[in-house]
Amino acid sequence: MTATTEFKPEFTPESASETAPVTVPDQHGGALPVLHPDVNLWFEGNARDLPWRRPEAGPWGVMVSEFMLQQTPVSRVLPVYEQWLARWPRPADLAAEPSGEAVRAWGRLGYPRRALRLHGAATAITERHGGDVPSEHSQLLSLPGIGEYTAAAVASFAYGQRHAVLDTNVRRVIARAVTGVEYPPNATTAAERKLARALLPDDTATAARWAASSMELGALVCTAKSPECGRCPIAAKCTWLQAGKPPHVGPARRTQTYAGTDRQVRGRLLAVLREAVTPVPQRSLDAVWHEPVQRARALDGLVADGLVEPLAGGVYRLPQS
């Protein structure tokens, strides 16, 4: 399996669209660019070969990938994803095991509460939907651990439905191409959602392809730090590029740190518990971090989040519920 495919040399931004940007009127009398034809065409020749995009992945494979890919690069997700689906090919298989096994199998993907949420969703799917991932957006949204983005992504990618799927990559593409700013706001706004819905193609299948292709464009070409505008299929329509790529203004973009944080301590504590086959004594956890106050705070946070169970006698284990 190849994780990525090379960009085909015969594709150029000019070959995608030789004419001026095509526009459609919006409800305020202005005009929005029609982006999906060029981006969907680009996607056909440049999409990465990823296992969750294959027909055999099914809705459950799509859902698992969406949980794992949140704030985590594809290269780290691939091996864990394949191991996960080999062990738990259906939601009922995961639901039959303790939630701690999901945390154990999550490994070092980070943000391990996602593993608990995915286990909770699998349990609800098994109990409420006969073990099949529901196709209705409202039913997906009612599952534990699933928000608007994940519900829309699964409905679109697994079932080919028409939904605005707004991850960081799509938001960045729309911010640059349509609104002319380098980066979208730190948190998704109502205005962004409204604009994304306005950009959706009317045809359901075309809209589902646009959801995937715009996300891929943001991941591979319209990247956060080094956008390759010369390889972009909508360069001629990009408001930000035509304006000379004005730099970001406004609140500073969020940056994530790891070294020395509670996240790092939590990760080290969980690593000990994942590798253990029996409950772990306090002294084994104390050995992973030198600062006792921060270590205790991190451990307490893991317990509060349901990722660790304290037992009598001062020992700890992954949750067994």
Side-chain angles (χ1 to χ4, degrees), residues 58-199:
W60 173 238
V62 171
M63 178 176 285
V64 170
S65 75
E66 287 301 327
F67 273 79
M68 290 185 173
L69 287 165
Q70 295 168 21
Q71 298 179 288
T72 307
V74 166
S75 59
R76 290 179 58 196
V77 166
L78 280 169
V80 180
Y81 172 88
E82 292 178 339
Q83 293 165 11
W84 191 284
L85 267 296
R87 180 174 178 180
W88 298 307
R90 289 181 54 80
D93 301 317
L94 175 59
E97 297 213 38
S99 59
E101 287 306 300
V103 176
R104 192 189 310 278
W106 199 255
R108 296 186 178 276
L109 283 182
Y111 303 98
R113 279 178 289 182
R114 291 180 293 168
L116 291 182
R117 292 171 182 148
L118 184 51
H119 183 274
T123 300
I125 290 168
T126 303
E127 294 173 349
R128 304 177 197 169
H129 302 285
D132 294 323
V133 176
S135 60
E136 294 297 323
H137 180 271
S138 59
Q139 293 177 325
L140 289 164
L141 199 56
S142 71
L143 295 173
I146 291 189
E148 173 58 36
Y149 164 76
T150 304
V154 173
S156 179
F157 301 150
Y159 292 109
Q161 296 177 13
R162 183 179 182 272
H163 294 282
V165 182
L166 276 174
D167 82 332
T168 301
N169 291 310
V170 177
R171 294 176 63 222
R172 187 168 57 250
V173 167
I174 293 176
R176 290 173 178 172
V178 182
T179 61
V181 297
E182 186 176 14
Y183 300 117
N186 284 332
T188 306
T189 66
E192 284 182 279
R193 291 192 174 92
K194 185 176 182 179
L195 177 57
R197 288 192 294 268
L199 290 169

Side-chain angles (χ1 to χ4, degrees), residues 37 110 183 285 307:
Y183 300 117
L285 298 176
L307 291 161

Side-chain angles (χ1 to χ4, degrees), residues 144-299:
I146 291 189
E148 173 58 36
Y149 164 76
T150 304
V154 173
S156 179
F157 301 150
Y159 292 109
Q161 296 177 13
R162 183 179 182 272
H163 294 282
V165 182
L166 276 174
D167 82 332
T168 301
N169 291 310
V170 177
R171 294 176 63 222
R172 187 168 57 250
V173 167
I174 293 176
R176 290 173 178 172
V178 182
T179 61
V181 297
E182 186 176 14
Y183 300 117
N186 284 332
T188 306
T189 66
E192 284 182 279
R193 291 192 174 92
K194 185 176 182 179
L195 177 57
R197 288 192 294 268
L199 290 169
L200 274 177
D202 291 332
D203 177 70
T204 299
T206 304
R209 176 56 62 95
W210 159 251
S213 65
S214 57
M215 189 175 295
E216 192 77 334
L217 185 67
L220 299 182
V221 176
C222 192
T223 58
K225 294 182 179 179
S226 303
E228 298 186 60
C229 300
R231 305 171 80 178
C232 179
I234 53 172
K237 303 177 182 181
C238 179
T239 304
W240 181 63
L241 179 60
Q242 301 309 315
K245 301 164 87 170
H248 174 70
V249 295
R253 297 178 66 226
R254 294 173 180 167
T255 57
Q256 295 182 342
T257 58
Y258 184 73
T261 64
D262 285 4
R263 279 187 57 218
Q264 184 180 24
V265 184
R266 285 163 61 101
R268 291 193 178 183
L269 294 170
L270 274 181
V272 174
L273 293 162
R274 282 197 306 268
E275 294 166 5
V277 295
T278 58
V280 174
Q282 181 74 55
R283 63 179 180 276
S284 297
L285 298 176
D286 290 345
V288 305
W289 196 256
H290 64 282
E291 210 290 305
V293 174
Q294 187 179 27
R295 185 178 65 235
R297 182 172 66 243
L299 180 58

